Amino acid sequence: MKLEIMQLEQLPVHTGRVIQVFGHEIALFRLGNGKIRAVENRCPHKGGPLAEGIVSGDYVFCPLHDWKICLADGNVQSPDTGCVKTFQTEIEENRIYIMIEPQEQGERRESLVPEQGLVNQK
């Protein structure tokens, strides 16, 4: 399912934003190269909120213990190990979309929503 999240200008560069979608808590980032990345908002180490981490290039550093996580594939960088779930995103006409499905059959299909914006299904 493709859901509209927000207008592109509502997501500052290098600043994480938390959205809730179908039971997923997702950290959304706009990188310096213009790409939008979406990952599970929970570091695999101790559950640190990745949306509050520092973004550098294609990586976010967990605010709790500085684990480095690739926003493109969700992999934790060595010497640490693990990964976080990633979500495909698209930008169309200055609107950010995420491709996502409910976690389980019968799950409440409440919409996103973060602090602002949102949601149209396509």
Side-chain angles (χ1 to χ4, degrees), residues 51-88:
E52 297 176 19
I54 295 173
V55 177
S56 178
D58 277 340
Y59 302 93
V60 63
F61 292 83
C62 177
L64 296 185
H65 300 99
D66 208 33
W67 278 33
K68 183 179 180 182
I69 299 167
C70 178
L71 293 170
D73 61 16
N75 287 320
V76 173
Q77 303 302 293
S78 183
D80 302 310
T81 60
C83 68
V84 296
K85 184 172 178 61
T86 60
F87 300 89
Q88 183 181 355

mmCIF file of all heavy atoms in Angstrom, residues 51-88:
data_model
loop_
_atom_site.group_PDB
_atom_site.id
_atom_site.type_symbol
_atom_site.label_atom_id
_atom_site.label_comp_id
_atom_site.label_asym_id
_atom_site.label_seq_id
_atom_site.Cartn_x
_atom_site.Cartn_y
_atom_site.Cartn_z
ATOM 1 N N ALA A 51 15.140 8.272 15.372
ATOM 2 C CA ALA A 51 14.743 9.588 14.851
ATOM 3 C C ALA A 51 15.443 10.722 15.597
ATOM 4 O O ALA A 51 15.545 11.824 15.093
ATOM 5 C CB ALA A 51 13.238 9.757 14.926
ATOM 6 N N GLU A 52 15.959 10.413 16.793
ATOM 7 C CA GLU A 52 16.668 11.417 17.583
ATOM 8 C C GLU A 52 18.176 11.340 17.380
ATOM 9 O O GLU A 52 18.934 12.068 18.016
ATOM 10 C CB GLU A 52 16.343 11.236 19.074
ATOM 11 C CG GLU A 52 14.879 11.461 19.388
ATOM 12 C CD GLU A 52 14.520 11.182 20.842
ATOM 13 O OE1 GLU A 52 15.430 11.160 21.693
ATOM 14 O OE2 GLU A 52 13.328 10.977 21.102
ATOM 15 N N GLY A 53 18.616 10.452 16.491
ATOM 16 C CA GLY A 53 20.039 10.277 16.245
ATOM 17 C C GLY A 53 20.616 11.338 15.322
ATOM 18 O O GLY A 53 19.893 12.126 14.713
ATOM 19 N N ILE A 54 21.933 11.323 15.238
ATOM 20 C CA ILE A 54 22.644 12.249 14.361
ATOM 21 C C ILE A 54 22.796 11.602 12.993
ATOM 22 O O ILE A 54 23.236 10.455 12.886
ATOM 23 C CB ILE A 54 24.022 12.609 14.954
ATOM 24 C CG1 ILE A 54 23.813 13.373 16.255
ATOM 25 C CG2 ILE A 54 24.857 13.416 13.964
ATOM 26 C CD1 ILE A 54 25.095 13.631 17.018
ATOM 27 N N VAL A 55 22.448 12.344 11.943
ATOM 28 C CA VAL A 55 22.530 11.835 10.574
ATOM 29 C C VAL A 55 23.813 12.352 9.929
ATOM 30 O O VAL A 55 24.124 13.536 10.011
ATOM 31 C CB VAL A 55 21.307 12.289 9.744
ATOM 32 C CG1 VAL A 55 21.443 11.823 8.306
ATOM 33 C CG2 VAL A 55 20.025 11.759 10.364
ATOM 34 N N SER A 56 24.539 11.413 9.297
ATOM 35 C CA SER A 56 25.750 11.768 8.565
ATOM 36 C C SER A 56 25.795 10.912 7.302
ATOM 37 O O SER A 56 25.878 9.685 7.390
ATOM 38 C CB SER A 56 26.984 11.517 9.433
ATOM 39 O OG SER A 56 28.162 11.818 8.705
ATOM 40 N N GLY A 57 25.698 11.556 6.158
ATOM 41 C CA GLY A 57 25.659 10.806 4.903
ATOM 42 C C GLY A 57 24.443 9.904 4.876
ATOM 43 O O GLY A 57 23.335 10.354 5.124
ATOM 44 N N ASP A 58 24.653 8.615 4.589
ATOM 45 C CA ASP A 58 23.566 7.629 4.560
ATOM 46 C C ASP A 58 23.396 6.910 5.888
ATOM 47 O O ASP A 58 22.793 5.843 5.941
ATOM 48 C CB ASP A 58 23.838 6.579 3.472
ATOM 49 C CG ASP A 58 23.406 7.049 2.109
ATOM 50 O OD1 ASP A 58 22.582 7.974 2.028
ATOM 51 O OD2 ASP A 58 23.886 6.472 1.119
ATOM 52 N N TYR A 59 23.918 7.457 6.965
ATOM 53 C CA TYR A 59 23.903 6.767 8.251
ATOM 54 C C TYR A 59 23.253 7.616 9.344
ATOM 55 O O TYR A 59 23.277 8.832 9.304
ATOM 56 C CB TYR A 59 25.339 6.427 8.691
ATOM 57 C CG TYR A 59 26.056 5.570 7.681
ATOM 58 C CD1 TYR A 59 26.850 6.142 6.699
ATOM 59 C CD2 TYR A 59 25.904 4.190 7.685
ATOM 60 C CE1 TYR A 59 27.486 5.350 5.749
ATOM 61 C CE2 TYR A 59 26.528 3.398 6.746
ATOM 62 C CZ TYR A 59 27.318 3.982 5.778
ATOM 63 O OH TYR A 59 27.936 3.200 4.849
ATOM 64 N N VAL A 60 22.704 6.894 10.334
ATOM 65 C CA VAL A 60 22.230 7.557 11.545
ATOM 66 C C VAL A 60 22.957 6.899 12.714
ATOM 67 O O VAL A 60 23.198 5.690 12.707
ATOM 68 C CB VAL A 60 20.688 7.448 11.694
ATOM 69 C CG1 VAL A 60 20.216 6.011 11.854
ATOM 70 C CG2 VAL A 60 20.211 8.302 12.862
ATOM 71 N N PHE A 61 23.297 7.711 13.694
ATOM 72 C CA PHE A 61 23.975 7.228 14.896
ATOM 73 C C PHE A 61 22.964 7.225 16.033
ATOM 74 O O PHE A 61 22.363 8.262 16.334
ATOM 75 C CB PHE A 61 25.165 8.133 15.250
ATOM 76 C CG PHE A 61 26.275 8.030 14.239
ATOM 77 C CD1 PHE A 61 26.235 8.768 13.064
ATOM 78 C CD2 PHE A 61 27.336 7.173 14.448
ATOM 79 C CE1 PHE A 61 27.248 8.662 12.115
ATOM 80 C CE2 PHE A 61 28.360 7.062 13.515
ATOM 81 C CZ PHE A 61 28.316 7.803 12.336
ATOM 82 N N CYS A 62 22.787 6.061 16.640
ATOM 83 C CA CYS A 62 21.821 5.916 17.722
ATOM 84 C C CYS A 62 22.168 6.903 18.840
ATOM 85 O O CYS A 62 23.325 6.991 19.253
ATOM 86 C CB CYS A 62 21.824 4.483 18.253
ATOM 87 S SG CYS A 62 20.707 4.272 19.660
ATOM 88 N N PRO A 63 21.165 7.623 19.361
ATOM 89 C CA PRO A 63 21.445 8.620 20.409
ATOM 90 C C PRO A 63 21.826 8.002 21.751
ATOM 91 O O PRO A 63 22.376 8.692 22.608
ATOM 92 C CB PRO A 63 20.124 9.396 20.506
ATOM 93 C CG PRO A 63 19.081 8.433 20.052
ATOM 94 C CD PRO A 63 19.759 7.593 18.984
ATOM 95 N N LEU A 64 21.579 6.718 21.950
ATOM 96 C CA LEU A 64 21.903 6.111 23.246
ATOM 97 C C LEU A 64 23.347 5.627 23.329
ATOM 98 O O LEU A 64 24.040 5.901 24.306
ATOM 99 C CB LEU A 64 20.962 4.934 23.541
ATOM 100 C CG LEU A 64 19.480 5.269 23.707
ATOM 101 C CD1 LEU A 64 18.692 4.027 24.114
ATOM 102 C CD2 LEU A 64 19.273 6.388 24.708
ATOM 103 N N HIS A 65 23.793 4.877 22.324
ATOM 104 C CA HIS A 65 25.124 4.278 22.424
ATOM 105 C C HIS A 65 25.944 4.439 21.151
ATOM 106 O O HIS A 65 26.913 3.722 20.928
ATOM 107 C CB HIS A 65 24.997 2.796 22.797
ATOM 108 C CG HIS A 65 24.308 2.600 24.109
ATOM 109 N ND1 HIS A 65 22.971 2.278 24.210
ATOM 110 C CD2 HIS A 65 24.754 2.731 25.386
ATOM 111 C CE1 HIS A 65 22.617 2.198 25.481
ATOM 112 N NE2 HIS A 65 23.684 2.466 26.223
ATOM 113 N N ASP A 66 25.505 5.325 20.271
ATOM 114 C CA ASP A 66 26.287 5.704 19.091
ATOM 115 C C ASP A 66 26.462 4.580 18.076
ATOM 116 O O ASP A 66 27.419 4.598 17.312
ATOM 117 C CB ASP A 66 27.646 6.271 19.513
ATOM 118 C CG ASP A 66 28.180 7.263 18.500
ATOM 119 O OD1 ASP A 66 27.381 7.965 17.866
ATOM 120 O OD2 ASP A 66 29.417 7.321 18.332
ATOM 121 N N TRP A 67 25.572 3.602 18.059
ATOM 122 C CA TRP A 67 25.665 2.576 17.018
ATOM 123 C C TRP A 67 25.386 3.235 15.677
ATOM 124 O O TRP A 67 24.494 4.079 15.557
ATOM 125 C CB TRP A 67 24.649 1.472 17.261
ATOM 126 C CG TRP A 67 25.104 0.451 18.264
ATOM 127 C CD1 TRP A 67 25.885 0.644 19.357
ATOM 128 C CD2 TRP A 67 24.767 -0.929 18.253
ATOM 129 N NE1 TRP A 67 26.065 -0.533 20.028
ATOM 130 C CE2 TRP A 67 25.388 -1.519 19.388
ATOM 131 C CE3 TRP A 67 24.010 -1.725 17.412
ATOM 132 C CZ2 TRP A 67 25.279 -2.870 19.672
ATOM 133 C CZ3 TRP A 67 23.887 -3.067 17.702
ATOM 134 C CH2 TRP A 67 24.523 -3.631 18.824
ATOM 135 N N LYS A 68 26.137 2.840 14.664
ATOM 136 C CA LYS A 68 26.025 3.436 13.325
ATOM 137 C C LYS A 68 25.175 2.507 12.461
ATOM 138 O O LYS A 68 25.520 1.340 12.258
ATOM 139 C CB LYS A 68 27.419 3.595 12.727
ATOM 140 C CG LYS A 68 27.442 4.273 11.381
ATOM 141 C CD LYS A 68 28.890 4.406 10.899
ATOM 142 C CE LYS A 68 28.983 5.078 9.561
ATOM 143 N NZ LYS A 68 30.402 5.156 9.100
ATOM 144 N N ILE A 69 24.085 3.048 11.925
ATOM 145 C CA ILE A 69 23.131 2.251 11.153
ATOM 146 C C ILE A 69 22.958 2.855 9.773
ATOM 147 O O ILE A 69 22.713 4.060 9.630
ATOM 148 C CB ILE A 69 21.789 2.178 11.891
ATOM 149 C CG1 ILE A 69 22.003 1.495 13.250
ATOM 150 C CG2 ILE A 69 20.739 1.458 11.058
ATOM 151 C CD1 ILE A 69 20.861 1.615 14.208
ATOM 152 N N CYS A 70 23.083 2.011 8.748
ATOM 153 C CA CYS A 70 22.917 2.455 7.363
ATOM 154 C C CYS A 70 21.425 2.656 7.084
ATOM 155 O O CYS A 70 20.625 1.740 7.266
ATOM 156 C CB CYS A 70 23.496 1.425 6.400
ATOM 157 S SG CYS A 70 23.280 1.891 4.666
ATOM 158 N N LEU A 71 21.064 3.850 6.638
ATOM 159 C CA LEU A 71 19.654 4.140 6.366
ATOM 160 C C LEU A 71 19.180 3.529 5.050
ATOM 161 O O LEU A 71 17.984 3.403 4.822
ATOM 162 C CB LEU A 71 19.434 5.656 6.360
ATOM 163 C CG LEU A 71 19.614 6.327 7.724
ATOM 164 C CD1 LEU A 71 19.621 7.841 7.576
ATOM 165 C CD2 LEU A 71 18.534 5.876 8.691
ATOM 166 N N ALA A 72 20.109 3.112 4.192
ATOM 167 C CA ALA A 72 19.715 2.508 2.910
ATOM 168 C C ALA A 72 19.285 1.052 3.083
ATOM 169 O O ALA A 72 18.279 0.630 2.519
ATOM 170 C CB ALA A 72 20.857 2.599 1.913
ATOM 171 N N ASP A 73 20.041 0.288 3.884
ATOM 172 C CA ASP A 73 19.709 -1.134 4.017
ATOM 173 C C ASP A 73 19.389 -1.565 5.455
ATOM 174 O O ASP A 73 19.039 -2.719 5.694
ATOM 175 C CB ASP A 73 20.825 -2.014 3.448
ATOM 176 C CG ASP A 73 22.168 -1.819 4.160
ATOM 177 O OD1 ASP A 73 22.206 -1.255 5.274
ATOM 178 O OD2 ASP A 73 23.191 -2.240 3.580
ATOM 179 N N GLY A 74 19.529 -0.669 6.409
ATOM 180 C CA GLY A 74 19.187 -0.965 7.795
ATOM 181 C C GLY A 74 20.258 -1.707 8.565
ATOM 182 O O GLY A 74 20.077 -1.992 9.755
ATOM 183 N N ASN A 75 21.379 -2.013 7.945
ATOM 184 C CA ASN A 75 22.424 -2.785 8.623
ATOM 185 C C ASN A 75 23.236 -1.936 9.590
ATOM 186 O O ASN A 75 23.641 -0.820 9.273
ATOM 187 C CB ASN A 75 23.371 -3.423 7.596
ATOM 188 C CG ASN A 75 22.706 -4.574 6.882
ATOM 189 O OD1 ASN A 75 21.987 -5.365 7.477
ATOM 190 N ND2 ASN A 75 22.933 -4.655 5.581
ATOM 191 N N VAL A 76 23.479 -2.529 10.760
ATOM 192 C CA VAL A 76 24.357 -1.926 11.750
ATOM 193 C C VAL A 76 25.783 -2.101 11.244
ATOM 194 O O VAL A 76 26.141 -3.149 10.701
ATOM 195 C CB VAL A 76 24.176 -2.614 13.124
ATOM 196 C CG1 VAL A 76 25.206 -2.122 14.116
ATOM 197 C CG2 VAL A 76 22.759 -2.398 13.636
ATOM 198 N N GLN A 77 26.594 -1.081 11.425
ATOM 199 C CA GLN A 77 27.963 -1.128 10.928
ATOM 200 C C GLN A 77 28.909 -1.734 11.962
ATOM 201 O O GLN A 77 28.722 -1.562 13.166
ATOM 202 C CB GLN A 77 28.424 0.287 10.564
ATOM 203 C CG GLN A 77 27.510 0.963 9.537
ATOM 204 C CD GLN A 77 27.400 0.170 8.252
ATOM 205 O OE1 GLN A 77 28.373 0.032 7.509
ATOM 206 N NE2 GLN A 77 26.221 -0.375 7.965
ATOM 207 N N SER A 78 29.903 -2.429 11.470
ATOM 208 C CA SER A 78 30.905 -3.107 12.280
ATOM 209 C C SER A 78 31.634 -2.097 13.175
ATOM 210 O O SER A 78 31.832 -0.953 12.751
ATOM 211 C CB SER A 78 31.894 -3.789 11.334
ATOM 212 O OG SER A 78 32.834 -4.494 12.054
ATOM 213 N N PRO A 79 31.996 -2.464 14.380
ATOM 214 C CA PRO A 79 32.087 -3.820 14.910
ATOM 215 C C PRO A 79 30.770 -4.335 15.506
ATOM 216 O O PRO A 79 30.706 -5.480 15.932
ATOM 217 C CB PRO A 79 33.139 -3.697 16.009
ATOM 218 C CG PRO A 79 32.943 -2.315 16.527
ATOM 219 C CD PRO A 79 32.566 -1.494 15.319
ATOM 220 N N ASP A 80 29.726 -3.500 15.527
ATOM 221 C CA ASP A 80 28.453 -3.947 16.077
ATOM 222 C C ASP A 80 27.706 -4.736 15.001
ATOM 223 O O ASP A 80 28.074 -4.701 13.824
ATOM 224 C CB ASP A 80 27.636 -2.736 16.538
ATOM 225 C CG ASP A 80 28.386 -1.918 17.575
ATOM 226 O OD1 ASP A 80 28.872 -2.515 18.543
ATOM 227 O OD2 ASP A 80 28.518 -0.691 17.386
ATOM 228 N N THR A 81 26.670 -5.438 15.393
ATOM 229 C CA THR A 81 25.913 -6.235 14.432
ATOM 230 C C THR A 81 24.411 -6.076 14.667
ATOM 231 O O THR A 81 23.980 -5.706 15.748
ATOM 232 C CB THR A 81 26.255 -7.735 14.556
ATOM 233 O OG1 THR A 81 25.934 -8.165 15.875
ATOM 234 C CG2 THR A 81 27.717 -8.003 14.252
ATOM 235 N N GLY A 82 23.646 -6.370 13.621
ATOM 236 C CA GLY A 82 22.191 -6.302 13.703
ATOM 237 C C GLY A 82 21.647 -5.515 12.527
ATOM 238 O O GLY A 82 22.391 -5.121 11.617
ATOM 239 N N CYS A 83 20.355 -5.325 12.525
ATOM 240 C CA CYS A 83 19.746 -4.516 11.470
ATOM 241 C C CYS A 83 18.376 -4.026 11.928
ATOM 242 O O CYS A 83 17.804 -4.543 12.885
ATOM 243 C CB CYS A 83 19.643 -5.289 10.169
ATOM 244 S SG CYS A 83 18.497 -6.652 10.213
ATOM 245 N N VAL A 84 17.897 -3.011 11.245
ATOM 246 C CA VAL A 84 16.553 -2.497 11.477
ATOM 247 C C VAL A 84 15.782 -2.614 10.174
ATOM 248 O O VAL A 84 16.363 -2.637 9.080
ATOM 249 C CB VAL A 84 16.555 -1.026 11.960
ATOM 250 C CG1 VAL A 84 17.224 -0.913 13.303
ATOM 251 C CG2 VAL A 84 17.190 -0.113 10.946
ATOM 252 N N LYS A 85 14.474 -2.691 10.283
ATOM 253 C CA LYS A 85 13.629 -2.796 9.104
ATOM 254 C C LYS A 85 13.641 -1.461 8.352
ATOM 255 O O LYS A 85 13.611 -0.394 8.968
ATOM 256 C CB LYS A 85 12.195 -3.142 9.528
ATOM 257 C CG LYS A 85 11.240 -3.366 8.388
ATOM 258 C CD LYS A 85 9.911 -3.897 8.912
ATOM 259 C CE LYS A 85 8.906 -4.090 7.801
ATOM 260 N NZ LYS A 85 9.294 -5.038 6.782
ATOM 261 N N THR A 86 13.700 -1.560 7.038
ATOM 262 C CA THR A 86 13.642 -0.362 6.200
ATOM 263 C C THR A 86 12.327 -0.365 5.423
ATOM 264 O O THR A 86 11.722 -1.414 5.214
ATOM 265 C CB THR A 86 14.821 -0.304 5.204
ATOM 266 O OG1 THR A 86 14.763 -1.453 4.357
ATOM 267 C CG2 THR A 86 16.146 -0.256 5.925
ATOM 268 N N PHE A 87 11.921 0.802 4.984
ATOM 269 C CA PHE A 87 10.677 0.955 4.232
ATOM 270 C C PHE A 87 10.965 1.774 2.980
ATOM 271 O O PHE A 87 11.679 2.780 3.033
ATOM 272 C CB PHE A 87 9.620 1.670 5.078
ATOM 273 C CG PHE A 87 9.289 0.940 6.349
ATOM 274 C CD1 PHE A 87 10.013 1.199 7.507
ATOM 275 C CD2 PHE A 87 8.291 -0.016 6.390
ATOM 276 C CE1 PHE A 87 9.724 0.534 8.688
ATOM 277 C CE2 PHE A 87 7.994 -0.697 7.562
ATOM 278 C CZ PHE A 87 8.722 -0.430 8.711
ATOM 279 N N GLN A 88 10.392 1.352 1.869
ATOM 280 C CA GLN A 88 10.595 2.064 0.606
ATOM 281 C C GLN A 88 9.819 3.378 0.640
ATOM 282 O O GLN A 88 8.681 3.429 1.120
ATOM 283 C CB GLN A 88 10.120 1.194 -0.552
ATOM 284 C CG GLN A 88 10.364 1.826 -1.899
ATOM 285 C CD GLN A 88 9.868 0.940 -3.033
ATOM 286 O OE1 GLN A 88 9.426 -0.179 -2.815
ATOM 287 N NE2 GLN A 88 9.939 1.467 -4.236
#
